[in-house]
Amino acid sequence: MLYLYTPDQQEYYARLLREALPDETVACWPQEAGAAAVTHAAVWAPPDGFFARFPNLHTVFAMGAGVDKLLQRKDLAPHVRIVRLTDAGMARQMTEYCLYGVLHYQRQMDRYAEQQRAGRWRPLETRLARDMRVGILGLGELGGRVATDLARLGYRVAGWSRRPRSIDGIRCLHGEAGLRELLPETDVLFCVLPATPETQRLLNADRLALLPDGAALINAGRGALIDEDALLARLDAGRLRFALLDVFAGEPLREDHPFWRHPRVIVTPHVAADTVPEDAVAQIAANLRAQAAGRPLNGLVERDRGY
Ligand code: NDP
Ligand code: OXD
């Protein structure tokens, strides 16, 4: 039996799953189901203790791409397989989010907004896409697609990953040395890494200082990737032109957080890329079929590397 916990659009997800999996029993929270019959769960942020109810649970489908929160759960036994969504309609949205930030920078929208407030008519220097260096941290399902989409639009794209990668038209770097090479050569840094023990506060004061003066930062990965105090210090000092932030160390962003009112910060409430229900359900159904046939699963999380 598959148990569903997705308070957002729960009924819709349940209908799609039942249509896609006519031979499966799909139960939905808060419906009581014979706990022992539940072998699979499809979830987004279920309450603490949720998984402990199901003694025969062996596979959890995350209804998102990031699994950092799931991997920290004490109620999820180590033998339970975690399967995340890969793309599922999110990659294209990530390109849109990144492109918005890149255009904000390239077309000087932050500066024109400032000039407008001052009632000032002053055309600024034109900058072409081919002169814009975009650095992308994370070259997986989402970052890889953003990199190729931006390169196709004419931007100079470099990307960074854990292991060596090779993507047509992208300068691919990896490891600490690669990051130290990429940061000083970046006008707009787009961060779409998973939060893992290794990436925790990756962008600290030392690494942020490697960005050229006047660079901009977009973070759509996880808030834990950035030392927020170091970022604020860099913005306050005028060394970073702006930050477009979708994810934060604490969400929702607390009311008195300085990011809300900072003139160089744009805040969005974790919306860079939403799961598309039809795509998510198609992926879960395909994985259930693969599992039944003994084929490898798409999006199986490697727990020890953290993503
Ligand atoms: P993938 O697992 O497909 O890709 C992750 C990428 O990060 C890979 O290129 C990987 O390297 C790289 N990486 C991981 N650890 C390190 C490290 N220590 N050093 C360098 N590179 C590293 O993930 P997705 O692209 O599907 O998703 C990325 C993240 O985006 C999610 O984990 C989630 O946090 C975030 N997200 C945010 C959303 C939002 O709305 N804001 C929506 C969806 C996702 P390698 O290629 O070598 O494995
Ligand atoms: C995800 C997210 O990880 O929406 O899918 O953040």
Side-chain angles (χ1 to χ4, degrees):
M1 183 191 292
L2 173 71
Y3 199 86
L4 178 68
Y5 183 95
T6 48
D8 212 20
Q9 308 184 65
Q10 171 116 316
E11 286 313 311
Y12 187 53
Y13 270 115
R15 179 157 70 74
L16 292 178
L17 278 167
R18 287 182 181 124
E19 280 168 13
L21 297 161
D23 300 329
E24 287 282 337
T25 309
V26 178
C28 302
W29 182 86
Q31 179 186 335
E32 280 305 324
V38 173
T39 51
H40 294 73
V43 302
W44 186 250
D48 280 346
F50 173 85
F51 296 114
R53 296 164 56 197
F54 308 120
N56 296 317
L57 184 67
H58 63 71
T59 306
V60 169
F61 294 108
M63 300 302 259
V67 289
D68 43 304
K69 288 274 175 356
L70 275 180
L71 289 175
Q72 287 163 17
R73 302 223 7 168
K74 301 232 176 334
D75 57 341
L76 200 49
H79 70 270
V80 176
R81 300 213 265 188
I82 300 177
V83 184
R84 69 186 193 92
L85 294 176
T86 57
D87 184 353
M90 288 183 272
R92 187 193 162 99
Q93 297 173 65
M94 272 302 176
T95 293
E96 292 164 357
Y97 193 86
C98 176
L99 187 58
Y100 177 85
V102 168
L103 288 171
H104 196 76
Y105 184 95
Q106 179 194 352
R107 303 308 303 256
Q108 318 239 36
M109 291 304 175
D110 52 332
R111 292 176 169 150
Y112 285 125
E114 216 174 291
Q115 291 189 184
Q116 182 174 351
R117 281 192 291 276
R120 192 151 167 229
W121 179 279
R122 182 172 157 244
L124 299 171
E125 173 207 2
T126 297
R127 197 160 175 182
L128 301 179
R130 66 172 186 236
D131 299 324
M132 287 275 307
R133 301 168 300 177
V134 181
I136 299 185
L137 304 186
L139 286 175
E141 292 290 331
L142 304 179
R145 166 76 180 271
V146 174
T148 48
D149 284 350
L150 265 75
R152 213 172 296 125
L153 288 171
Y155 292 98
R156 283 165 58 188
V157 182
W160 186 69
S161 55
R162 198 166 63 96
R163 301 160 296 183
R165 289 233 172 203
S166 167
I167 306 176
D168 262 3
I170 311 300
R171 184 169 159 235
C172 293
L173 299 156
H174 68 279
E176 178 65 23
L179 184 58
R180 292 193 164 266
E181 193 178 327
L182 176 140
L183 292 174
E185 295 169 9
T186 295
D187 298 311
V188 178
L189 184 67
F190 179 60
C191 191
V192 66
L193 288 163
T196 70
E198 271 183 42
T199 61
Q200 177 89 5
R201 291 188 173 218
L202 180 87
L203 294 176
N204 56 17
D206 172 43
R207 296 203 182 91
L208 286 172
L210 293 175
L211 286 167
D213 278 354
L217 168 70
I218 308 171
N219 186 19
R222 285 291 183 263
L225 303 170
I226 295 184
D227 176 340
E228 293 186 342
D229 291 336
L231 173 59
L232 276 168
R234 202 86 201 140
L235 289 160
D236 287 340
R239 310 291 291 275
L240 262 187
R241 199 164 115 190
F242 67 82
L244 167 58
L245 305 174
D246 187 54
V247 284
F248 303 89
E251 293 182 14
L253 190 62
R254 57 169 218 270
E255 239 172 69
D256 62 346
H257 198 292
F259 283 156
W260 280 119
R261 277 160 281 278
H262 199 291
R264 293 176 185 264
V265 175
I266 305 169
V267 169
T268 54
H270 200 140
V271 291
D274 270 346
T275 297
V276 176
E278 292 76 8
D279 299 40
V281 165
Q283 228 168 76
I284 291 170
N287 267 329
L288 279 167
R289 280 186 217 107
Q291 198 172 50
R295 294 195 307 271
L297 302 188
N298 170 27
L300 184 62
V301 171
E302 289 182 35
R303 280 184 174 229
D304 46 359
R305 67 173 195 185
Y307 66 102

